[in-house]
Amino acid sequence: MLSFGTAVCNSGCRFCQNFDIAKARSIDKLSVGASPEKIAQVAASRGIDSVAFTYNDPIVFAEYAIDTAQACRALGIHPIAVTAGYMSAEARPDFYAAMDAANIDLKGFTEDFYWKVTGTHLADVLATIDYAVNEARTPEGEHVWVEVTTLLIPGLNDDDAQLHAECTWIGEHLGPDVPLHFSAFHPSYRMMDVPPTPHETLTRARAIALAEGLHYVYAGNVHDREGDTTYCPNPQCHAKLIERDWYRIIADRLSASSGGNGHCPQCGTAIAGRW
């Protein structure tokens, strides 16, 4: 995957992990020109099959992202948005119609947290996630593939009540097959006084999500082979399908070459995803 971003952001997250980019002025950071066609050509020349718009929120360079997505798609390359989902209803259709997939941050599950810590609003983000999962379509008419990520910050958004509420909402509005990633926080930007997320918090959050009926729940930013692995959601099977350790794939039993072809090779259950 080829990843790129620009400068500035429309969220004011006090814990921003990319603050040197997201909080920069354009004149400070934008020193390399890259047309949409050039980005697509570079990816194609290196055999890269997907391009991600990330680091700062691509909604702030939506027109550029859409043009680049179209240039990528023309060469058979998949455009992917990594976003906080804070955008207007008017912006959503054009933006998500250009994408094949999106990873959307759900940073917490109270308005108080969103406003005080990110300077944005929970309701707007929930509306975007709902739209992306249930309404957005690619130019070919397929659903946009969407995954959700929550960065767990000790003492701010990691209590059981928020976690249960978030997972219940996901199950009711998005369905159990939308993957949910719980990621570990590391002190950054204006939250250097907050400790890193304990591994136990990720394990607890994942257990809550699974108990709420979600099928694909992961622990991120840590070494956790159990928490990183995709399991068959069939309760009578629960076979390991894609084993991971952080960014490393240990085994993949879902690919066509291994005989899975998007189905559990042990019981035949269809596995949500793009295979």
Side-chain angles (χ1 to χ4, degrees):
M1 180 185 295
L2 173 64
S3 299
F4 81 95
T6 61
V8 308
C9 190
N10 65 336
S11 297
C13 301
R14 298 179 60 82
F15 54 83
C16 184
Q17 307 289 293
N18 297 308
F19 66 90
D20 56 334
I21 297 172
K23 306 306 177 185
R25 294 181 178 180
S26 296
I27 195 171
D28 295 328
K29 291 293 178 181
L30 297 185
S31 59
V32 177
S35 69
E37 293 75 18
K38 180 64 173 178
I39 292 171
Q41 290 164 4
V42 168
S45 69
R46 300 189 181 190
I48 297 170
D49 63 2
S50 59
V51 169
F53 314 115
T54 182
Y55 304 124
N56 64 321
D57 202 298
I59 193 59
V60 304
F61 58 94
E63 295 86 355
Y64 180 38
I66 290 169
D67 288 347
T68 303
Q70 292 170 345
C72 287
R73 186 173 280 113
L75 297 181
I77 297 166
H78 301 290
I80 300 171
V82 181
T83 169
Y86 187 57
M87 63 181 68
S88 68
E90 292 78 9
R92 291 171 194 141
D94 288 343
F95 182 80
Y96 283 101
M99 303 299 160
D100 283 349
N103 187 299
I104 307 177
D105 287 340
L106 181 51
K107 297 176 185 291
F109 212 75
T110 67
E111 171 61 18
D112 185 67
F113 171 86
Y114 255 88
W115 180 243
K116 291 182 178 178
V117 181
T118 77
T120 62
H121 299 288
L122 173 61
D124 296 310
V125 175
L126 294 181
T128 294
I129 297 173
D130 195 317
Y131 175 87
V133 171
N134 295 311
E135 298 185 51
R137 297 290 189 279
T138 69
E140 294 75 27
E142 296 183 344
H143 280 277
V144 175
W145 178 252
V146 178
E147 305 195 7
V148 175
T149 295
T150 299
L151 183 75
L152 294 179
I153 306 172
L156 293 176
N157 65 350
D158 63 344
D159 58 276
D160 284 7
Q162 280 195 70
L163 294 171
H164 276 290
E166 175 180 334
C167 296
T168 297
W169 183 88
I170 290 173
E172 292 178 350
H173 290 264
L174 312 181
D177 288 338
V178 171
L180 173 60
H181 303 262
F182 290 115
S183 294
F185 162 85
H186 301 287
S188 183
Y189 193 42
R190 295 179 176 174
M191 296 186 74
M192 296 298 296
D193 58 335
V194 178
T197 308
H199 198 142
E200 295 76 15
T201 298
L202 300 176
T203 302
R204 173 172 54 86
R206 183 170 178 270
I208 287 172
L210 292 171
E212 289 283 351
L214 304 187
H215 291 162
Y216 308 105
V217 188
Y218 304 97
N221 289 348
V222 293
H223 289 287
D224 185 338
R225 287 184 65 164
E226 179 179 354
D228 282 343
T229 291
T230 297
Y231 294 87
C232 176
N234 179 352
Q236 280 73 50
C237 180
H238 202 57
K240 293 181 179 180
L241 301 177
I242 303 178
E243 293 185 68
R244 306 178 186 86
D245 185 1
W246 208 318
Y247 298 114
R248 189 164 64 97
I249 295 177
I250 310 300
D252 178 2
R253 303 182 180 93
L254 283 177
S255 63
S257 61
S258 64
N261 200 24
H263 290 73
C264 174
Q266 188 162 309
C267 72
T269 296
I271 307 302
R274 298 290 184 267
W275 311 111

